[in-house]
Amino acid sequence: MLKKTSHLMREANFIGGAWVGADSGATVEVVNPATRETIGTVPKCGQAEARRAIEAAENAFQSWKKTSANDRAVLLRRLHDAIMDNQDALAELLVMEQGKPLAEAKGEVGMSAAYVLWYAEESRRIYGDIVPSPWADRRILVTKEPIGVVGAITPWNFPSSMLARKIGPALAAGCTIVAKPASQTPYSGLAWGVLAQEAGIPDGVVNIITGSASAIGDELTENPLVRKITFTGSTEIGKLLMQKASGTVKKVSMELGGNAPFLVFDDADVDRAVAGAVAAKYRNSGQTCVCTNRFFVQDGIYDRFVEKLVEATGELKVGPGLDDGVQQGPLIDEGAVEKVEELLADATSKGARIAVGGKRHALGGSFFEPTVITDASPQMRIMEEEIFGPVAPIFRFSQEEEAVRMANDTSFGLACYFYTGDLGRAFRVMEGLKYGLVGVNEGVITTVEAPFGGLKESGLGKEGGYQGIDDYVDTKYVCIGGLGL
Ligand code: NAP
């Protein structure tokens, strides 16, 4: 078990290379969701500390932007190595504050390292263009330059990798960053400060600050030194941040909520579909933005799919994330459990039937039984609201067009999944679904090499892939005239 004295668990903020407390000395408690015990505290910082962090980032930017791409790549590779050297301890820290099973936490930390390595490589490929000129004596250059200080705000469900997706491309592009992790899971975020120091990244390039979300968020969105806001979290807060960032016309990237549909057609491989469904539904106790929120299953395969999914769901082992073999941890807090209960009560009052689970787990606290409900219908709240818990609602359909229409009938557009053995249908449905990420016969598709991001109210911008760097650079057109050619 990780000790509080572990060098990775910091109860201080990281500003300009120094570990500091809040000006007022105020702190916020951090609770282990599996035991409800307090693990420690972190500073409750506000506007003044946020401003100092932005100024430190702006100072550091003046020299960081001039480093060569190769030098930045070397430092990012060292950051990758520092993460992997500490993978086990970082994963334990993550489980303690977030609750997910240890194997998932190790996977998340590995994914963080993978993003950093990917952007170490991409830093050397931020190409510009030389464009054919319409003038004989002038030349046209298009360059890519780091945008400046980046403000990053991240959620509690992936406290390590959501920061990796922002710190990686920001540093690769030559930007500096001020990051605010979620208050419920700040230690994985603060650990980025320790790792940055271990890797030899200059002071002020990475700054991590905890505390009042609105005070820090207001400073990040309103301070003119910050040139970009990158946010992962709810659509509601994302919209608020976009409004605030508009005052100084900052570039914004938004990774927001989802309402993923999972379609199973009659011609699908039912065992493969069930395995994909379990992974796409119950990972992180259903608390991911790409988790399936609605299953649509065709008449001919409905009974077989439901029977097998119910069986697989009933076998999932629930418990504290650090216990051996656990596949599902607690929900993040009591509020999350109440939201799941509310949505379940709404669904059952409108005709849904509970096939397995459906209530708090005997372990107590915020543990909830992995659940499947059948006979779901569009007038239920789960049709549009993110469940963010381990509940799989199953809708029945008969026609392909009907399934695609119901899948698209939402303001969200992040991830979707479908299972079919028919190639023509695969292309028709893939092209018909209005989503940023599509899994065809696959339930877990996130990887650093591919651009991750939503459409519609699920967000703007991409994280990962070569596209991920675009959000961190300014494109500049240079016209060189008078060449006398
Ligand atoms: P949230 O309530 O929006 O919080 C996310 C972050 O925003 C936290 O750091 C929070 O700080 C901060 N925040 C809250 N109010 C703020 C304000 N007024 N100004 C500035 N910052 C503010 O979301 P969550 O409940 O933590 O995360 C779950 C949501 O994230 C879900 O909707 C999920 O789908 C989405 N998500 C999306 C992606 C994606 O890539 N699209 C990935 C993961 C999660 P405090 O913690 O201090 O309140």
Side-chain angles (χ1 to χ4, degrees):
M1 171 72 78
L2 188 112
K3 297 283 181 294
K4 197 171 168 179
T5 49
S6 161
H7 76 294
L8 289 165
M9 182 175 157
R10 291 297 171 106
E11 295 183 286
N13 282 183
F14 189 57
I15 299 178
W19 289 98
V20 296
D23 291 353
S24 65
T27 56
V28 192
E29 286 194 348
V30 183
V31 170
N32 180 332
T35 62
R36 310 311 301 160
E37 287 165 5
T38 299
I39 321 167
T41 63
V42 292
K44 188 175 182 186
C45 287
Q47 192 168 9
E49 297 91 335
R51 187 171 303 155
R52 282 204 293 281
I54 292 166
E55 286 163 0
E58 173 66 15
N59 279 340
F61 179 60
Q62 299 312 319
S63 46
W64 182 247
K65 69 181 176 186
K66 293 182 187 149
T67 53
S68 75
N70 198 49
D71 287 349
R72 293 198 299 278
V74 168
L75 287 172
L76 282 168
R77 278 203 296 274
R78 280 196 210 142
L79 181 57
H80 162 272
D81 294 347
I83 297 168
M84 291 313 289
D85 290 347
N86 291 290
Q87 186 177 17
D88 288 348
L90 287 166
E92 282 180 19
L93 185 62
L94 205 164
V95 175
M96 280 170 61
E97 61 181 356
Q98 205 278 338
K100 67 178 64 177
L102 185 60
E104 283 188 31
K106 275 189 191 167
E108 180 180 340
V109 173
M111 188 62 119
S112 294
Y115 273 106
V116 170
L117 185 60
W118 172 259
Y119 282 109
E121 293 161 348
E122 283 302 292
S123 66
R124 301 199 296 157
R125 289 189 272 275
I126 305 174
Y127 302 133
D129 294 300
I130 297 176
V131 180
S133 170
W135 305 287
D137 65 340
R138 301 186 214 171
R139 293 293 178 265
I140 295 175
L141 272 58
V142 179
T143 63
K144 300 282 177 70
E145 295 180 1
I147 195 162
V149 175
V150 173
I153 300 177
T154 51
W156 49 263
N157 61 347
F158 288 95
S160 173
S161 62
M162 293 302 107
L163 270 170
R165 288 183 186 187
K166 303 180 187 312
I167 292 174
L171 269 55
C175 300
T176 56
I177 192 162
V178 177
K180 191 210 90 64
S183 298
Q184 285 167 303
T185 56
Y187 292 124
S188 298
L190 290 165
W192 280 95
V194 182
L195 298 162
Q197 278 188 312
E198 268 184 39
I201 290 169
D203 291 348
V205 171
V206 175
N207 305 274
I208 317 284
I209 178 167
T210 55
S212 163
S214 55
I216 296 170
D218 284 357
E219 186 62 27
L220 288 175
T221 45
E222 287 165 13
N223 190 318
L225 292 176
V226 176
R227 293 314 314 147
K228 181 195 165 66
I229 293 291
T230 171
F231 173 73
T232 301
S234 60
T235 296
E236 180 195 354
I237 300 295
K239 288 180 180 176
L240 183 77
L241 296 177
M242 283 174 79
Q243 278 170 6
K244 291 190 171 173
S246 69
T248 43
V249 193
K250 298 185 200 316
K251 196 161 177 167
V252 293
S253 299
M254 295 282 148
E255 294 289 352
L256 309 177
N259 180 8
F262 188 111
L263 283 54
V264 185
F265 291 97
D266 284 346
D267 52 29
D269 173 337
V270 70
D271 292 323
R272 190 173 176 89
V274 169
V278 170
K281 177 67 246 184
Y282 299 108
R283 196 160 59 101
N284 201 10
S285 306
Q287 304 172 113
T288 87
C289 53
V290 293
C291 268
T292 300
N293 212 53
R294 300 165 295 155
F295 287 89
F296 298 100
V297 185
Q298 202 164 10
D299 286 330
I301 199 169
Y302 188 92
D303 291 341
R304 278 181 294 146
F305 178 81
V306 170
E307 187 191 328
K308 288 183 181 235
L309 181 63
V310 166
E311 193 186 334
T313 301
E315 285 169 359
L316 290 172
K317 183 173 175 192
V318 179
L322 291 177
D323 285 7
D324 276 349
V326 162
Q327 293 160 293
Q328 189 187 286
L331 299 194
I332 189 70
D333 57 20
E334 175 63 21
V337 178
E338 285 170 7
K339 168 97 190 285
V340 169
E341 287 180 325
E342 223 179 85
L343 291 177
L344 266 176
D346 172 78
T348 49
S349 75
K350 292 171 182 163
R353 288 186 311 110
I354 293 171
V356 63
K359 58 184 190 304
R360 289 171 187 251
H361 196 276
L363 287 168
S366 58
F367 289 96
F368 201 87
E369 290 179 351
T371 298
V372 177
I373 56 174
T374 58
D375 302 287
S377 58
Q379 67 274 18
M380 295 172 184
R381 283 174 55 191
I382 40 170
M383 181 68 184
E384 175 63 10
E385 290 182 44
E386 251 186 321
I387 303 169
F388 244 55
V391 177
I394 308 190
F395 299 70
R396 184 194 281 265
F397 73 91
S398 52
Q399 300 300 321
E400 181 184 306
E401 302 72 31
E402 177 196 2
V404 172
R405 188 178 41 72
M406 284 203 290
N408 285 336
D409 187 15
T410 167
S411 58
F412 295 104
L414 187 57
C416 65
Y417 312 89
F418 69 91
Y419 282 69
T420 178
D422 179 314
L423 191 59
R425 170 173 276 159
F427 275 88
R428 275 196 310 277
V429 175
M430 182 259 286
E431 289 167 8
L433 288 168
K434 188 85 175 150
Y435 285 83
L437 315 168
V438 187
V440 185
N441 296 327
E442 288 293 343
V444 179
I445 61 172
T446 305
T447 180
V448 300
E449 291 83 359
F452 184 106
L455 310 181
K456 293 158 76 178
E457 294 189 22
S458 288
L460 290 173
K462 301 292 172 196
E463 297 191 323
Y466 73 83
Q467 296 89 343
I469 215 92
D470 290 346
D471 283 325
Y472 294 86
V473 292
D474 285 324
T475 299
K476 188 182 273 181
Y477 156 47
V478 183
C479 179
I480 305 172
L483 296 177
L485 299 168

